[in-house]
Amino acid sequence: MPTLKAFQRLEHLQMHPSLVPAAAVPFLYRLPRLTTLHLRPYLLMTASSLSNSYDSSTLDASENVFQCLKDLVCDVRLLLTGVGASLSAPSIQKLQVALNPTSTEADLDTIARLLRDNCNTLTHVTIVFERPILLPPDSSPITSTVLKSFLGIQSLRCLSIDDVRPARLTCAELEELAPMCSRLSFLVLCARARLNGPASPDSLNFGSLITIAQHCPSLSALGLGHFVATPPPDLQANPPVFRRLRTLYMDYSTKIEDPAAVAVYLRRLLPPDARLELPPSRFRSETTTAVEAANIKAWKEVSHIFDAMKPTRRIAALHLK
């Protein structure tokens, strides 16, 4: 780490996280041109832990600044140690953080507040829960409170949270959050969730898409997991529609009773060039349950019917203009 200080023109640095304990972070602060720092999160399963004993009070506050850093990929512990409490990156634009499944709601809320207070140019936030483990749905730390904290970052345009547990979010809470999402162009909340237990009757459903469409006209990609297995609601004569949406990510936990009805429902909400995409599962194929396999098959049928409607969708779009 002391040797790194000699590379005063270094702009991009990618290292195994086991080589970067918290006590090494002050050396990285002193690289004046560092714009990209990747501490590869997918290697964290075998990497040694970052030290939690580092005392940030030994650093002068003026030194705790990544002056040019724009892109950071790291383990959550880098943000939650003593050093993290002083972390300031005035130029950061993209952040990807890897979390352990045991990370709590308080952990995420702390991260969101650190970013809101220290990073005024942050546009992209990606949260990835490492080592997917099937846990009860009510164990998810993704709550309305946490999402409010992240959406409080005024410069934020893209928010992606990847966990196999669906977010603990009700339809009523989504209605409250939707106006705060109006600045976003990319919103994906646990689109690869796998339901492990009974669904709550007030969980997100197909009607949730109407709530998002009403408040988020600039969205280009959307993924919400999971939808309650209910038929699509009846749409009013002129429902709010997504004008710019290009990709709707389908999830594995929604049971589709009538693929044709779902395709017709989506046709009325999405623009002509939109596509439905089934993101790759985070589990091995041999662990796919019979119910999940049936859901995937039904979603593919929805996608096939939806694509076949493309000429009709174009005509409808011209009529709206």
Side-chain angles (χ1 to χ4, degrees), residues 84-92 113-121:
S86 300
L87 180 65
S88 180
S91 300
I92 197 167
R113 293 175 184 277
L114 282 172
L115 299 176
R116 182 194 63 191
D117 296 339
N118 295 303
C119 307
N120 297 325
T121 59

Side-chain angles (χ1 to χ4, degrees), residues 55 59 101 106 108 126 134 142 158 168 170 194 202 220 227 236 242 255 262 273 277 285:
D55 181 7
L59 282 177
L108 269 81
T126 300
L134 283 178
I142 310 302
C158 302
R168 282 192 286 152
T170 66
R194 178 191 283 189
D202 57 355
S220 61
F227 293 135
Q236 60 190 39
F242 293 99
K255 183 179 180 181
V262 173
D273 295 329
E277 184 171 318
S285 58

